[in-house]
Amino acid sequence: MGGRWRRWTASGAVALMAALAGCSSSGSGTATTQSTSTRSTSSPSTGSVDEPGVTPTSISVGAISTLTGSIAADFDGLAPGVQAYFDMVNADGGINGRKLNLAWNLDDGGQSSQFTQLSHTLIDQDHAFAVMVASYWFTPNYFVETKTPTYGYNVSGNWANAPNLFGAGGNSVQDYAAGVAGFAYFLKATHSKSVAMISYGPAITSSYDACNTAATVLKQNGYNVSYVDVGAQLGGSYSSAVQRMQQVGVDAVISCMQESDNITMARDIQQYGLKVTQLWFNGYDRSLLNQYSSLMQGVYMGLSGTVPYEVGVSDPSAYPGMAEYLKEMNKYEPAFTYNAVSVQGWQSAALLADAIRQAGNDLTQANIVNITNHFTANNGGGLSTVTNWSTAHTTVTYPLCSATAQVKGRKFVPVSTKGSQVFVCLNKSVKNPVPVPAPAGTPGS
């Protein structure tokens, strides 16, 4: 599985911890304006539209991803997720008589200068109606200037503020402090009394920012954060850290490291006989579990605001969006079904499609942006907690909802809260994190 719960690469030093609870916030509103169906179509449109990428029979969209280079595996899933969603919609006749066309999938090669050049190519030369992005080198300037509807994988603060930038799977704001209530709830739910926090140093910003912020806020609210290492080495040894955890009586470990380093740490924990509850934010990966199941037993995986894959199979009536995602990805892009950035691509495509449906024959870029910013409870095609796009470009809206899975045997088992609901929704309080009802539109409600 790739993307938000995945491995890191040494040369990348990139911020791929956006899936941490609260890194990208989700919010709710009092009204829901978007269609929640991913399969409904409308009557054919009439006439032509004088807009980039639009003909009487098609809407052409472009993508920029990092497809080659040392960090390509962290970003290559977006276009397959978009393509599978488009294929599904087109098989039903498209939207308002138009087929959705992912006409261009460009590779920035992991270079910021190349990304900037390709931005101009898609907008000025190819005339894409909308753009999908999966790149750490995302620079929003030209997309904002041209008011192009822009969607994708949010791994930096560059997605905030502008009304035409829509980060998938939550919203466009990154706020690490907002998610600390989720850390606190986990500690209380597992009856943990003494917690260790471990991350890389400031050079890998989101790893550091996530755990460092959480450690600070938890301490301020009276939690016993008895060991903090926010300077761990990428690909390093963790035996000394584990020994120190043992000496100070740690009974819970929260890791903001990549999955391979989590495995190394888990091996040291097992070797030294340390009995702890572990929470990882990278490691929700079936191939990893198949290889290291003995080291991962009992480990909790923080999934942020995304529906676990497993409930799409075990409870498709409660989670039809995930059931549909699994079915269509297995049909059209099977190599990327369990790639988390593909989930981001699907969510991005679904958000664009929801706006296109509502736009009808008023199919302009400006109208798509305006319609989307009136969606107050969008759930990414049923794959995520709801986002209030009227505020999501600038602020965190509570409650924040996140899901968790636990390793049992060779399976990830979603942790249910009430009935079939897999999301825990919390308000801002860290001192007293008490679950509240999931906002309307939340999958499983």
Side-chain angles (χ1 to χ4, degrees):
M1 175 181 189
R4 298 175 84 180
W5 309 289
R6 61 152 59 248
R7 58 194 176 278
W8 294 49
T9 55
S11 61
V14 295
L16 297 180
M17 292 294 293
L20 283 163
C23 293
S24 288
S25 71
S26 59
S28 64
T30 58
T32 303
T33 57
Q34 95 286 3
S35 166
T36 57
S37 170
T38 58
R39 302 303 296 269
S40 64
T41 58
S42 302
S43 58
S45 60
T46 58
S48 61
V49 176
D50 186 19
E51 280 289 298
V54 178
T55 75
T57 59
S58 68
I59 302 169
S60 291
V61 173
I64 305 176
S65 302
T66 300
L67 302 176
T68 57
S70 60
I71 61 174
D74 295 308
F75 296 100
D76 62 358
L78 188 89
V82 172
Q83 186 64 64
Y85 187 92
F86 284 4
D87 287 341
M88 176 189 73
V89 169
N90 291 341
D92 278 351
I95 302 175
N96 301 331
R98 292 184 173 92
K99 298 294 182 69
L100 303 180
N101 179 26
L102 183 59
W104 309 277
N105 183 22
L106 308 183
D107 176 19
D108 69 12
Q111 300 179 36
S112 58
S113 59
Q114 180 74 352
F115 182 93
T116 300
Q117 178 181 334
L118 295 179
S119 302
H120 286 264
T121 298
L122 278 181
I123 293 171
D124 298 335
Q125 176 180 311
D126 298 328
H127 306 296
F129 181 74
V131 176
M132 307 287 175
V133 176
S135 173
Y136 180 65
W137 309 110
F138 173 62
T139 49
N141 306 41
Y142 202 50
F143 299 105
V144 175
E145 179 184 335
T146 58
K147 301 180 181 179
T148 303
T150 304
Y151 308 79
Y153 177 26
N154 178 7
V155 293
S156 73
N158 286 346
W159 286 87
N161 300 318
N164 65 307
L165 304 180
F166 304 101
N171 67 6
S172 296
V173 176
Q174 292 190 356
D175 184 346
Y176 293 102
V180 181
F183 289 83
Y185 178 78
F186 170 78
L187 295 175
K188 290 197 171 185
T190 56
H191 307 289
S192 300
K193 305 298 182 184
S194 176
V195 62
M197 310 285 298
I198 185 166
S199 76
Y200 305 120
I204 303 181
T205 53
S206 9
S207 171
Y208 173 83
D209 288 345
C211 265
N212 186 55
T213 300
T216 300
V217 176
L218 287 171
K219 286 180 180 179
Q220 291 171 347
N221 283 271
Y223 291 84
N224 181 20
V225 183
S226 53
Y227 179 83
V228 178
D229 182 354
V230 288
Q233 293 298 308
L234 191 70
S237 170
Y238 306 104
S239 58
S240 60
V242 169
Q243 291 178 69
R244 181 60 181 154
M245 293 177 197
Q246 192 171 46
Q247 290 168 3
V248 298
V250 161
D251 62 1
V253 178
I254 297 177
S255 171
C256 300
M257 299 190 298
Q258 69 172 357
E259 57 190 26
S260 61
D261 288 333
N262 287 335
I263 290 295
T264 300
M265 182 178 67
R267 184 179 289 111
D268 290 333
I269 286 172
Q270 190 175 92
Q271 178 181 344
Y272 287 96
L274 181 60
K275 304 299 181 184
V276 292
T277 301
Q278 297 182 65
L279 175 63
W280 300 356
F281 293 100
N282 284 273
Y284 183 48
D285 181 324
R286 292 185 175 193
S287 61
L288 189 79
L289 179 58
N290 288 337
Q291 186 174 1
Y292 297 109
S293 61
S294 64
L295 296 175
M296 296 174 67
Q297 291 307 302
V299 171
Y300 290 89
M301 301 290 171
L303 311 184
S304 191
T306 303
V307 173
Y309 299 116
E310 290 76 18
V311 295
V313 176
S314 65
D315 199 353
S317 61
Y319 297 93
M322 179 53 75
E324 184 172 64
Y325 168 84
L326 294 173
K327 175 185 174 182
E328 301 300 332
M329 286 296 295
N330 284 331
K331 179 178 181 180
Y332 293 113
E333 298 284 350
F336 290 89
T337 299
Y338 299 103
N339 181 304
V341 181
S342 294
V343 174
Q344 305 270 310
W346 181 280
Q347 291 172 327
S348 297
L351 182 59
L352 171 61
D354 280 342
I356 292 173
R357 290 187 182 95
Q358 288 206 13
N361 290 326
D362 187 10
L363 188 57
T364 66
Q365 292 174 313
N367 196 31
I368 291 299
V369 171
N370 178 60
I371 288 171
T372 307
N373 284 317
H374 284 84
F375 290 165
T376 58
N378 186 276
N379 62 19
L383 298 192
S384 69
T385 57
V386 295
T387 299
N388 179 357
W389 279 111
S390 69
T391 60
H393 299 285
T394 57
T395 62
V396 172
T397 306
Y398 294 90
L400 296 179
C401 303
S402 60
T404 307
Q406 187 180 24
V407 175
K408 295 183 179 181
R410 290 185 175 272
K411 295 182 179 180
F412 294 106
V413 179
V415 178
S416 298
T417 56
K418 183 179 181 181
S420 61
Q421 183 54 258
V422 297
F423 291 111
V424 173
C425 300
L426 300 167
N427 286 319
K428 193 172 184 179
S429 174
V430 174
K431 192 175 293 292
N432 186 31
V434 177
V436 298
T442 302
S445 298

